PDB file of all heavy atoms in Angstrom:
ATOM      1  N   ALA A  18      -1.103   2.975   7.097  1.00 92.00           N
ATOM      2  CA  ALA A  18      -1.450   1.578   6.819  1.00 92.00           C
ATOM      3  C   ALA A  18      -1.558   1.307   5.325  1.00 92.00           C
ATOM      4  O   ALA A  18      -1.403   0.168   4.887  1.00 92.00           O
ATOM      5  CB  ALA A  18      -2.758   1.207   7.516  1.00 92.00           C
ATOM      6  N   GLY A  19      -1.815   2.346   4.534  1.00 90.00           N
ATOM      7  CA  GLY A  19      -1.968   2.151   3.098  1.00 90.00           C
ATOM      8  C   GLY A  19      -0.690   2.297   2.306  1.00 90.00           C
ATOM      9  O   GLY A  19      -0.699   2.129   1.078  1.00 90.00           O
ATOM     10  N   ARG A  20       0.417   2.596   2.966  1.00 88.00           N
ATOM     11  CA  ARG A  20       1.673   2.745   2.235  1.00 88.00           C
ATOM     12  C   ARG A  20       2.183   1.387   1.768  1.00 88.00           C
ATOM     13  O   ARG A  20       1.976   0.370   2.425  1.00 88.00           O
ATOM     14  CB  ARG A  20       2.736   3.418   3.101  1.00 88.00           C
ATOM     15  CG  ARG A  20       2.456   4.882   3.383  1.00 88.00           C
ATOM     16  CD  ARG A  20       3.665   5.549   4.005  1.00 88.00           C
ATOM     17  NE  ARG A  20       3.400   6.934   4.335  1.00 88.00           N
ATOM     18  CZ  ARG A  20       3.566   7.953   3.480  1.00 88.00           C
ATOM     19  NH1 ARG A  20       3.973   7.704   2.240  1.00 88.00           N
ATOM     20  NH2 ARG A  20       3.321   9.192   3.855  1.00 88.00           N
ATOM     21  N   SER A  21       2.852   1.378   0.637  1.00 85.00           N
ATOM     22  CA  SER A  21       3.428   0.137   0.127  1.00 85.00           C
ATOM     23  C   SER A  21       4.783   0.449  -0.495  1.00 85.00           C
ATOM     24  O   SER A  21       5.105   1.611  -0.773  1.00 85.00           O
ATOM     25  CB  SER A  21       2.506  -0.517  -0.906  1.00 85.00           C
ATOM     26  OG  SER A  21       2.274   0.352  -1.997  1.00 85.00           O
ATOM     27  N   THR A  22       5.559  -0.591  -0.723  1.00 81.00           N
ATOM     28  CA  THR A  22       6.890  -0.456  -1.304  1.00 81.00           C
ATOM     29  C   THR A  22       6.969  -1.317  -2.547  1.00 81.00           C
ATOM     30  O   THR A  22       6.569  -2.487  -2.516  1.00 81.00           O
ATOM     31  CB  THR A  22       7.972  -0.901  -0.301  1.00 81.00           C
ATOM     32  OG1 THR A  22       7.869  -0.093   0.882  1.00 81.00           O
ATOM     33  CG2 THR A  22       9.361  -0.752  -0.900  1.00 81.00           C
ATOM     34  N   ARG A  23       7.476  -0.745  -3.637  1.00 79.00           N
ATOM     35  CA  ARG A  23       7.664  -1.534  -4.859  1.00 79.00           C
ATOM     36  C   ARG A  23       8.941  -2.349  -4.737  1.00 79.00           C
ATOM     37  O   ARG A  23       9.977  -1.850  -4.325  1.00 79.00           O
ATOM     38  CB  ARG A  23       7.729  -0.616  -6.078  1.00 79.00           C
ATOM     39  CG  ARG A  23       6.353  -0.146  -6.537  1.00 79.00           C
ATOM     40  CD  ARG A  23       6.454   0.636  -7.836  1.00 79.00           C
ATOM     41  NE  ARG A  23       7.093   1.926  -7.623  1.00 79.00           N
ATOM     42  CZ  ARG A  23       7.740   2.598  -8.552  1.00 79.00           C
ATOM     43  NH1 ARG A  23       7.883   2.089  -9.769  1.00 79.00           N
ATOM     44  NH2 ARG A  23       8.272   3.774  -8.289  1.00 79.00           N
ATOM     45  N   ILE A  24       8.861  -3.619  -5.116  1.00 76.00           N
ATOM     46  CA  ILE A  24      10.013  -4.508  -4.941  1.00 76.00           C
ATOM     47  C   ILE A  24      10.532  -5.051  -6.256  1.00 76.00           C
ATOM     48  O   ILE A  24      11.433  -5.860  -6.287  1.00 76.00           O
ATOM     49  CB  ILE A  24       9.654  -5.685  -4.018  1.00 76.00           C
ATOM     50  CG1 ILE A  24       8.461  -6.476  -4.582  1.00 76.00           C
ATOM     51  CG2 ILE A  24       9.367  -5.200  -2.614  1.00 76.00           C
ATOM     52  CD1 ILE A  24       8.186  -7.752  -3.821  1.00 76.00           C
ATOM     53  N   GLY A  25      10.002  -4.610  -7.369  1.00 70.00           N
ATOM     54  CA  GLY A  25      10.457  -5.110  -8.662  1.00 70.00           C
ATOM     55  C   GLY A  25       9.298  -5.119  -9.625  1.00 70.00           C
ATOM     56  O   GLY A  25       8.177  -5.483  -9.254  1.00 70.00           O
ATOM     57  N   GLY A  26       9.566  -4.705 -10.883  1.00 70.00           N
ATOM     58  CA  GLY A  26       8.462  -4.571 -11.820  1.00 70.00           C
ATOM     59  C   GLY A  26       7.480  -3.576 -11.238  1.00 70.00           C
ATOM     60  O   GLY A  26       7.856  -2.476 -10.836  1.00 70.00           O
ATOM     61  N   ASP A  27       6.214  -3.956 -11.143  1.00 75.00           N
ATOM     62  CA  ASP A  27       5.246  -3.097 -10.480  1.00 75.00           C
ATOM     63  C   ASP A  27       4.604  -3.829  -9.308  1.00 75.00           C
ATOM     64  O   ASP A  27       3.487  -3.530  -8.914  1.00 75.00           O
ATOM     65  CB  ASP A  27       4.173  -2.632 -11.473  1.00 75.00           C
ATOM     66  CG  ASP A  27       3.548  -1.312 -11.052  1.00 75.00           C
ATOM     67  OD1 ASP A  27       4.283  -0.435 -10.571  1.00 75.00           O
ATOM     68  OD2 ASP A  27       2.317  -1.171 -11.183  1.00 75.00           O
ATOM     69  N   GLU A  28       5.319  -4.816  -8.751  1.00 79.00           N
ATOM     70  CA  GLU A  28       4.823  -5.522  -7.581  1.00 79.00           C
ATOM     71  C   GLU A  28       5.038  -4.661  -6.342  1.00 79.00           C
ATOM     72  O   GLU A  28       6.063  -4.006  -6.196  1.00 79.00           O
ATOM     73  CB  GLU A  28       5.550  -6.859  -7.412  1.00 79.00           C
ATOM     74  CG  GLU A  28       5.263  -7.862  -8.514  1.00 79.00           C
ATOM     75  CD  GLU A  28       3.788  -8.244  -8.560  1.00 79.00           C
ATOM     76  OE1 GLU A  28       3.199  -8.471  -7.492  1.00 79.00           O
ATOM     77  OE2 GLU A  28       3.227  -8.290  -9.664  1.00 79.00           O
ATOM     78  N   THR A  29       4.063  -4.670  -5.448  1.00 83.00           N
ATOM     79  CA  THR A  29       4.154  -3.886  -4.226  1.00 83.00           C
ATOM     80  C   THR A  29       3.977  -4.792  -3.010  1.00 83.00           C
ATOM     81  O   THR A  29       3.323  -5.829  -3.077  1.00 83.00           O
ATOM     82  CB  THR A  29       3.074  -2.784  -4.187  1.00 83.00           C
ATOM     83  OG1 THR A  29       1.783  -3.379  -4.369  1.00 83.00           O
ATOM     84  CG2 THR A  29       3.319  -1.750  -5.277  1.00 83.00           C
ATOM     85  N   VAL A  30       4.595  -4.377  -1.911  1.00 85.00           N
ATOM     86  CA  VAL A  30       4.492  -5.087  -0.640  1.00 85.00           C
ATOM     87  C   VAL A  30       3.984  -4.112   0.399  1.00 85.00           C
ATOM     88  O   VAL A  30       4.456  -2.978   0.490  1.00 85.00           O
ATOM     89  CB  VAL A  30       5.855  -5.663  -0.210  1.00 85.00           C
ATOM     90  CG1 VAL A  30       5.759  -6.267   1.185  1.00 85.00           C
ATOM     91  CG2 VAL A  30       6.332  -6.712  -1.192  1.00 85.00           C
ATOM     92  N   GLY A  31       3.015  -4.541   1.189  1.00 89.00           N
ATOM     93  CA  GLY A  31       2.493  -3.694   2.247  1.00 89.00           C
ATOM     94  C   GLY A  31       1.327  -4.370   2.927  1.00 89.00           C
ATOM     95  O   GLY A  31       0.963  -5.504   2.614  1.00 89.00           O
ATOM     96  N   LEU A  32       0.723  -3.659   3.852  1.00 93.00           N
ATOM     97  CA  LEU A  32      -0.376  -4.220   4.629  1.00 93.00           C
ATOM     98  C   LEU A  32      -1.580  -4.546   3.749  1.00 93.00           C
ATOM     99  O   LEU A  32      -2.233  -5.582   3.928  1.00 93.00           O
ATOM    100  CB  LEU A  32      -0.764  -3.229   5.730  1.00 93.00           C
ATOM    101  CG  LEU A  32      -1.726  -3.729   6.795  1.00 93.00           C
ATOM    102  CD1 LEU A  32      -1.104  -4.868   7.592  1.00 93.00           C
ATOM    103  CD2 LEU A  32      -2.119  -2.584   7.724  1.00 93.00           C
ATOM    104  N   VAL A  33      -1.889  -3.671   2.796  1.00 93.00           N
ATOM    105  CA  VAL A  33      -3.048  -3.911   1.933  1.00 93.00           C
ATOM    106  C   VAL A  33      -2.885  -5.208   1.155  1.00 93.00           C
ATOM    107  O   VAL A  33      -3.807  -6.036   1.083  1.00 93.00           O
ATOM    108  CB  VAL A  33      -3.249  -2.730   0.962  1.00 93.00           C
ATOM    109  CG1 VAL A  33      -4.309  -3.064  -0.080  1.00 93.00           C
ATOM    110  CG2 VAL A  33      -3.643  -1.484   1.722  1.00 93.00           C
ATOM    111  N   GLN A  34      -1.712  -5.408   0.570  1.00 92.00           N
ATOM    112  CA  GLN A  34      -1.481  -6.616  -0.220  1.00 92.00           C
ATOM    113  C   GLN A  34      -1.634  -7.866   0.643  1.00 92.00           C
ATOM    114  O   GLN A  34      -2.165  -8.880   0.193  1.00 92.00           O
ATOM    115  CB  GLN A  34      -0.097  -6.565  -0.859  1.00 92.00           C
ATOM    116  CG  GLN A  34       0.057  -5.544  -1.978  1.00 92.00           C
ATOM    117  CD  GLN A  34       0.145  -4.111  -1.479  1.00 92.00           C
ATOM    118  OE1 GLN A  34       0.395  -3.862  -0.295  1.00 92.00           O
ATOM    119  NE2 GLN A  34      -0.045  -3.153  -2.365  1.00 92.00           N
ATOM    120  N   SER A  35      -1.186  -7.788   1.905  1.00 94.00           N
ATOM    121  CA  SER A  35      -1.308  -8.944   2.794  1.00 94.00           C
ATOM    122  C   SER A  35      -2.759  -9.227   3.146  1.00 94.00           C
ATOM    123  O   SER A  35      -3.193 -10.384   3.188  1.00 94.00           O
ATOM    124  CB  SER A  35      -0.490  -8.715   4.063  1.00 94.00           C
ATOM    125  OG  SER A  35       0.887  -8.674   3.773  1.00 94.00           O
ATOM    126  N   LEU A  36      -3.538  -8.192   3.412  1.00 95.00           N
ATOM    127  CA  LEU A  36      -4.946  -8.381   3.760  1.00 95.00           C
ATOM    128  C   LEU A  36      -5.733  -8.945   2.578  1.00 95.00           C
ATOM    129  O   LEU A  36      -6.556  -9.860   2.743  1.00 95.00           O
ATOM    130  CB  LEU A  36      -5.547  -7.055   4.221  1.00 95.00           C
ATOM    131  CG  LEU A  36      -5.049  -6.544   5.576  1.00 95.00           C
ATOM    132  CD1 LEU A  36      -5.457  -5.099   5.785  1.00 95.00           C
ATOM    133  CD2 LEU A  36      -5.582  -7.414   6.714  1.00 95.00           C
ATOM    134  N   LEU A  37      -5.472  -8.418   1.379  1.00 93.00           N
ATOM    135  CA  LEU A  37      -6.158  -8.944   0.199  1.00 93.00           C
ATOM    136  C   LEU A  37      -5.713 -10.376  -0.086  1.00 93.00           C
ATOM    137  O   LEU A  37      -6.521 -11.226  -0.466  1.00 93.00           O
ATOM    138  CB  LEU A  37      -5.886  -8.049  -1.011  1.00 93.00           C
ATOM    139  CG  LEU A  37      -6.453  -6.635  -0.939  1.00 93.00           C
ATOM    140  CD1 LEU A  37      -6.059  -5.841  -2.189  1.00 93.00           C
ATOM    141  CD2 LEU A  37      -7.966  -6.651  -0.787  1.00 93.00           C
ATOM    142  N   GLY A  38      -4.418 -10.638   0.103  1.00 93.00           N
ATOM    143  CA  GLY A  38      -3.918 -11.988  -0.109  1.00 93.00           C
ATOM    144  C   GLY A  38      -4.514 -12.990   0.863  1.00 93.00           C
ATOM    145  O   GLY A  38      -4.638 -14.177   0.552  1.00 93.00           O
ATOM    146  N   ALA A  39      -4.893 -12.503   2.063  1.00 95.00           N
ATOM    147  CA  ALA A  39      -5.520 -13.383   3.057  1.00 95.00           C
ATOM    148  C   ALA A  39      -6.991 -13.622   2.773  1.00 95.00           C
ATOM    149  O   ALA A  39      -7.626 -14.409   3.477  1.00 95.00           O
ATOM    150  CB  ALA A  39      -5.343 -12.787   4.452  1.00 95.00           C
ATOM    151  N   GLY A  40      -7.537 -12.931   1.743  1.00 95.00           N
ATOM    152  CA  GLY A  40      -8.909 -13.191   1.328  1.00 95.00           C
ATOM    153  C   GLY A  40      -9.901 -12.075   1.531  1.00 95.00           C
ATOM    154  O   GLY A  40     -11.090 -12.240   1.224  1.00 95.00           O
ATOM    155  N   ALA A  41      -9.465 -10.908   2.056  1.00 95.00           N
ATOM    156  CA  ALA A  41     -10.402  -9.804   2.277  1.00 95.00           C
ATOM    157  C   ALA A  41     -11.031  -9.346   0.963  1.00 95.00           C
ATOM    158  O   ALA A  41     -10.380  -9.371  -0.088  1.00 95.00           O
ATOM    159  CB  ALA A  41      -9.687  -8.633   2.953  1.00 95.00           C
ATOM    160  N   VAL A  42     -12.290  -8.910   1.022  1.00 93.00           N
ATOM    161  CA  VAL A  42     -12.957  -8.438  -0.195  1.00 93.00           C
ATOM    162  C   VAL A  42     -12.795  -6.935  -0.384  1.00 93.00           C
ATOM    163  O   VAL A  42     -12.858  -6.441  -1.510  1.00 93.00           O
ATOM    164  CB  VAL A  42     -14.461  -8.797  -0.197  1.00 93.00           C
ATOM    165  CG1 VAL A  42     -14.661 -10.285  -0.322  1.00 93.00           C
ATOM    166  CG2 VAL A  42     -15.157  -8.266   1.048  1.00 93.00           C
ATOM    167  N   ASP A  43     -12.625  -6.202   0.706  1.00 93.00           N
ATOM    168  CA  ASP A  43     -12.313  -4.773   0.585  1.00 93.00           C
ATOM    169  C   ASP A  43     -11.603  -4.318   1.850  1.00 93.00           C
ATOM    170  O   ASP A  43     -11.760  -4.897   2.923  1.00 93.00           O
ATOM    171  CB  ASP A  43     -13.534  -3.904   0.265  1.00 93.00           C
ATOM    172  CG  ASP A  43     -14.746  -4.221   1.120  1.00 93.00           C
ATOM    173  OD1 ASP A  43     -14.605  -4.968   2.101  1.00 93.00           O
ATOM    174  OD2 ASP A  43     -15.834  -3.706   0.815  1.00 93.00           O
ATOM    175  N   VAL A  44     -10.788  -3.265   1.689  1.00 96.00           N
ATOM    176  CA  VAL A  44      -9.914  -2.801   2.769  1.00 96.00           C
ATOM    177  C   VAL A  44      -9.924  -1.279   2.785  1.00 96.00           C
ATOM    178  O   VAL A  44      -9.795  -0.644   1.733  1.00 96.00           O
ATOM    179  CB  VAL A  44      -8.462  -3.303   2.557  1.00 96.00           C
ATOM    180  CG1 VAL A  44      -7.549  -2.774   3.656  1.00 96.00           C
ATOM    181  CG2 VAL A  44      -8.413  -4.825   2.513  1.00 96.00           C
ATOM    182  N   VAL A  45     -10.062  -0.696   3.955  1.00 96.00           N
ATOM    183  CA  VAL A  45      -9.944   0.755   4.144  1.00 96.00           C
ATOM    184  C   VAL A  45      -8.684   1.021   4.958  1.00 96.00           C
ATOM    185  O   VAL A  45      -8.507   0.438   6.031  1.00 96.00           O
ATOM    186  CB  VAL A  45     -11.176   1.327   4.874  1.00 96.00           C
ATOM    187  CG1 VAL A  45     -10.937   2.796   5.248  1.00 96.00           C
ATOM    188  CG2 VAL A  45     -12.414   1.219   4.007  1.00 96.00           C
ATOM    189  N   VAL A  46      -7.822   1.891   4.450  1.00 96.00           N
ATOM    190  CA  VAL A  46      -6.569   2.218   5.133  1.00 96.00           C
ATOM    191  C   VAL A  46      -6.276   3.703   4.969  1.00 96.00           C
ATOM    192  O   VAL A  46      -6.890   4.380   4.150  1.00 96.00           O
ATOM    193  CB  VAL A  46      -5.382   1.415   4.546  1.00 96.00           C
ATOM    194  CG1 VAL A  46      -5.463  -0.049   4.926  1.00 96.00           C
ATOM    195  CG2 VAL A  46      -5.318   1.568   3.032  1.00 96.00           C
ATOM    196  N   ALA A  47      -5.310   4.191   5.752  1.00 93.00           N
ATOM    197  CA  ALA A  47      -4.864   5.580   5.645  1.00 93.00           C
ATOM    198  C   ALA A  47      -3.572   5.636   4.851  1.00 93.00           C
ATOM    199  O   ALA A  47      -2.676   4.825   5.052  1.00 93.00           O
ATOM    200  CB  ALA A  47      -4.641   6.170   7.043  1.00 93.00           C
ATOM    201  N   GLY A  48      -3.475   6.620   3.968  1.00 90.00           N
ATOM    202  CA  GLY A  48      -2.298   6.757   3.124  1.00 90.00           C
ATOM    203  C   GLY A  48      -1.199   7.586   3.738  1.00 90.00           C
ATOM    204  O   GLY A  48      -0.110   7.687   3.161  1.00 90.00           O
ATOM    205  N   TRP A  49      -1.440   8.173   4.909  1.00 90.00           N
ATOM    206  CA  TRP A  49      -0.442   9.017   5.559  1.00 90.00           C
ATOM    207  C   TRP A  49      -0.745   9.061   7.053  1.00 90.00           C
ATOM    208  O   TRP A  49      -1.714   8.436   7.508  1.00 90.00           O
ATOM    209  CB  TRP A  49      -0.421  10.426   4.953  1.00 90.00           C
ATOM    210  CG  TRP A  49      -1.761  11.091   4.795  1.00 90.00           C
ATOM    211  CD1 TRP A  49      -2.465  11.744   5.762  1.00 90.00           C
ATOM    212  CD2 TRP A  49      -2.559  11.175   3.605  1.00 90.00           C
ATOM    213  NE1 TRP A  49      -3.645  12.230   5.255  1.00 90.00           N
ATOM    214  CE2 TRP A  49      -3.728  11.891   3.930  1.00 90.00           C
ATOM    215  CE3 TRP A  49      -2.391  10.723   2.301  1.00 90.00           C
ATOM    216  CZ2 TRP A  49      -4.726  12.163   2.991  1.00 90.00           C
ATOM    217  CZ3 TRP A  49      -3.385  10.990   1.368  1.00 90.00           C
ATOM    218  CH2 TRP A  49      -4.533  11.703   1.710  1.00 90.00           C
ATOM    219  N   PRO A  50       0.027   9.771   7.867  1.00 89.00           N
ATOM    220  CA  PRO A  50      -0.245   9.827   9.303  1.00 89.00           C
ATOM    221  C   PRO A  50      -1.643  10.373   9.593  1.00 89.00           C
ATOM    222  O   PRO A  50      -2.125  11.277   8.906  1.00 89.00           O
ATOM    223  CB  PRO A  50       0.836  10.778   9.836  1.00 89.00           C
ATOM    224  CG  PRO A  50       1.958  10.633   8.860  1.00 89.00           C
ATOM    225  CD  PRO A  50       1.293  10.456   7.526  1.00 89.00           C
ATOM    226  N   VAL A  51      -2.284   9.804  10.606  1.00 87.00           N
ATOM    227  CA  VAL A  51      -3.657  10.197  10.918  1.00 87.00           C
ATOM    228  C   VAL A  51      -3.711  10.972  12.222  1.00 87.00           C
ATOM    229  O   VAL A  51      -2.829  10.868  13.077  1.00 87.00           O
ATOM    230  CB  VAL A  51      -4.581   8.964  11.008  1.00 87.00           C
ATOM    231  CG1 VAL A  51      -4.598   8.213   9.693  1.00 87.00           C
ATOM    232  CG2 VAL A  51      -4.173   8.036  12.144  1.00 87.00           C
ATOM    233  N   HIS A  52      -4.756  11.758  12.358  1.00 86.00           N
ATOM    234  CA  HIS A  52      -4.996  12.549  13.554  1.00 86.00           C
ATOM    235  C   HIS A  52      -5.965  11.776  14.435  1.00 86.00           C
ATOM    236  O   HIS A  52      -6.988  11.283  13.971  1.00 86.00           O
ATOM    237  CB  HIS A  52      -5.579  13.909  13.154  1.00 86.00           C
ATOM    238  CG  HIS A  52      -5.732  14.864  14.292  1.00 86.00           C
ATOM    239  ND1 HIS A  52      -6.758  14.776  15.205  1.00 86.00           N
ATOM    240  CD2 HIS A  52      -4.984  15.931  14.668  1.00 86.00           C
ATOM    241  CE1 HIS A  52      -6.647  15.755  16.083  1.00 86.00           C
ATOM    242  NE2 HIS A  52      -5.580  16.461  15.784  1.00 86.00           N
ATOM    243  N   ASP A  53      -5.645  11.655  15.709  1.00 87.00           N
ATOM    244  CA  ASP A  53      -6.401  10.798  16.613  1.00 87.00           C
ATOM    245  C   ASP A  53      -7.893  11.142  16.624  1.00 87.00           C
ATOM    246  O   ASP A  53      -8.749  10.282  16.405  1.00 87.00           O
ATOM    247  CB  ASP A  53      -5.815  10.931  18.017  1.00 87.00           C
ATOM    248  CG  ASP A  53      -6.051   9.688  18.875  1.00 87.00           C
ATOM    249  OD1 ASP A  53      -6.280   8.605  18.317  1.00 87.00           O
ATOM    250  OD2 ASP A  53      -6.025   9.820  20.112  1.00 87.00           O
ATOM    251  N   ALA A  54      -8.223  12.409  16.887  1.00 88.00           N
ATOM    252  CA  ALA A  54      -9.623  12.786  17.067  1.00 88.00           C
ATOM    253  C   ALA A  54     -10.396  12.767  15.751  1.00 88.00           C
ATOM    254  O   ALA A  54     -11.527  12.274  15.687  1.00 88.00           O
ATOM    255  CB  ALA A  54      -9.708  14.174  17.709  1.00 88.00           C
ATOM    256  N   THR A  55      -9.808  13.301  14.669  1.00 89.00           N
ATOM    257  CA  THR A  55     -10.542  13.338  13.408  1.00 89.00           C
ATOM    258  C   THR A  55     -10.711  11.935  12.827  1.00 89.00           C
ATOM    259  O   THR A  55     -11.702  11.641  12.158  1.00 89.00           O
ATOM    260  CB  THR A  55      -9.853  14.252  12.381  1.00 89.00           C
ATOM    261  OG1 THR A  55      -8.507  13.817  12.191  1.00 89.00           O
ATOM    262  CG2 THR A  55      -9.850  15.690  12.842  1.00 89.00           C
TER     263      THR A  55
END
């Protein structure tokens, strides 16, 4: 969920950018695949 893609300059597109753009004050995400139980 925390992965993003650079689209030009240093602008990034991803879930985090969308959540912050929608007004969230803080966001917790995973930077890689997660293990169900842990």
Side-chain angles (χ1 to χ4, degrees):
R20 290 191 182 273
S21 59
T22 301
R23 281 186 290 155
I24 58 172
D27 206 40
E28 294 298 317
T29 55
V30 174
L32 190 64
V33 171
Q34 290 75 17
S35 294
L36 290 167
L37 294 178
V42 292
D43 46 11
V44 178
V45 171
V46 289
W49 48 81
V51 300
H52 186 283
D53 206 22
T55 56

